[in-house]
Amino acid sequence: MERLDAAESVLDAAAAAAPEIRAGLPGRRRYLDEENPSGEEVLAADVFADDLLETALGDLDAVGTYASEERASAVDTGDGPLSVAVDPLDGSSNLESNNPMGTVVAVYDGTLPAAGRDLVAAGFVLYGPVTTMVAGVGAPGEADVYEYLVTADGDREEMGVIALPDDPTVYGFGGRVPDWPADFAAYVDEVEDELKLRYGGAMIADVSQVLSYGGVFAYPALESAPNGKLRLQFEGNPVAYLVEGAGGRSSDGTGPILDVTATDLHQRVPVHVGNASLIERLESALQ
Ligand code: P6P
């Protein structure tokens, strides 16, 4: 039980940091002259959020390792048994256009890189019209997923359990259409006749659409990038944990994302999450 209490404290600390991260965004919309380990441009806001979260999470007794999408390697923060993998500002390119973005936190019981089955908690903060957190604590498949209001003081006020609607409504797919493999493009042709397009360039905001309205989000394998764009440790595993906890499914194209073997801290993985029926059709289309 103490592992779960410790995992809960990580989510509390992430929520507590959220108001300061949000308040720090306006003055940090400029790109720095540097790239992150994935070769992406880095915003001043990325570094600001990363530094804040390293302190907030790394100072917890239960946390022994802090890893971030913005850092080449993990940081040893003590003797705690938990490893946290953070995307400090998922979708930070939305800052310039003033669109939603968020903070993703994955809490693993073990060393990194870790498989999704080693998760003991996951959550994301969504900096939307309202600051909210979607989170779950427990082993994958055993954790209910809740939505919380994050108050100005950084407290979490539970707003209820999240359950994926049975009737899907929206879809959102990353990558350029000409870069989609033919089998994925054929799946899109089917889905776009049935659902409404919701794609905003920040994974957690697009996944939030799926959690609210039912449907499917994917950043698939591309002809130019067979493993897609999203990172397993920081993005794929936590959103798979959350969508599955809300009654949906995840897939890397062949099977659950949580079963993907972790070999590198920044390894990429094709991400598809949403209603089980839509994920099953996707896997059939990609066989
Ligand atoms: P694109 C943000 O940079 C991110 O990692 C995810 O949050 C998002 O889903 C994706 O990349 C957006 O990528 O190619 O649409 O800009």
Side-chain angles (χ1 to χ4, degrees):
M1 187 56 188
E2 65 184 42
R3 278 281 193 280
L4 302 189
D5 291 341
E8 196 77 65
S9 71
V10 175
L11 298 175
D12 285 336
E20 188 174 357
I21 290 173
R22 185 169 193 139
L25 295 178
R28 293 179 171 87
R29 300 174 78 173
R30 70 190 185 285
Y31 282 101
L32 304 175
D33 185 20
E34 58 186 79
E35 285 188 346
N36 70 11
S38 299
E40 298 162 337
E41 284 186 293
V42 176
L43 274 168
D46 290 315
V47 173
F48 171 72
D50 186 26
D51 290 345
L52 263 180
L53 289 163
E54 180 198 7
T55 302
L57 306 187
D59 283 358
L60 297 172
D61 291 341
V63 173
T65 302
Y66 174 89
S68 154
E69 204 175 88
E70 305 305 329
R71 300 174 191 227
S73 51
V75 177
D76 184 339
T77 61
D79 301 328
L82 300 181
S83 298
V84 295
V86 174
D87 184 356
L89 270 187
D90 175 63
S92 58
S93 60
N94 277 352
L95 187 53
E96 185 170 338
S97 55
N98 195 30
N99 290 106
M101 67 196 80
T103 294
V104 191
V105 181
V107 186
Y108 297 94
D109 186 6
T111 57
L112 299 179
R117 297 289 173 206
D118 295 334
L119 284 165
V120 288
F124 62 74
V125 176
L126 177 53
Y127 305 107
V130 177
T131 304
T132 56
M133 175 180 262
V134 169
V137 176
E142 294 174 12
D144 284 332
V145 175
Y146 295 84
E147 183 179 34
Y148 303 84
L149 173 73
V150 178
T151 69
D153 295 330
D155 296 324
R156 287 193 281 163
E157 294 178 1
E158 187 188 310
M159 294 163 67
V161 173
I162 293 186
L164 220 56
D166 292 335
D167 297 325
T169 308
V170 300
Y171 75 97
F173 300 141
R176 297 176 187 278
V177 175
D179 208 5
W180 288 339
D183 51 7
F184 182 74
Y187 171 74
V188 175
D189 288 346
E190 284 180 28
V191 165
E192 64 187 0
D193 282 348
E194 303 165 20
L195 306 176
K196 295 190 291 188
L197 174 61
R198 288 287 184 276
Y199 187 82
M203 174 194 68
I204 50 99
D206 295 327
V207 169
S208 182
Q209 293 265 13
V210 170
L211 290 172
S212 301
Y213 302 114
V216 54
F217 165 83
Y219 208 107
L222 304 174
E223 295 291 359
S224 65
N227 290 321
K229 174 180 183 182
L230 304 181
R231 278 68 31 155
L232 178 69
Q233 297 295 295
F234 308 101
E235 295 164 306
N237 277 339
V239 287
Y241 173 99
L242 293 168
V243 172
E244 291 188 9
R249 269 209 57 200
S250 75
S251 179
D252 67 348
T254 60
I257 288 173
L258 299 179
D259 290 339
V260 172
T261 302
T263 56
D264 179 79
L265 187 60
H266 293 280
Q267 80 189 73
R268 298 177 194 267
V269 64
V271 172
H272 318 77
V273 291
N275 287 73
S277 58
L278 289 165
I279 299 301
E280 283 150 21
R281 284 167 61 186
L282 168 97
E283 291 185 337
S284 301
L286 300 192
Q287 297 311 338

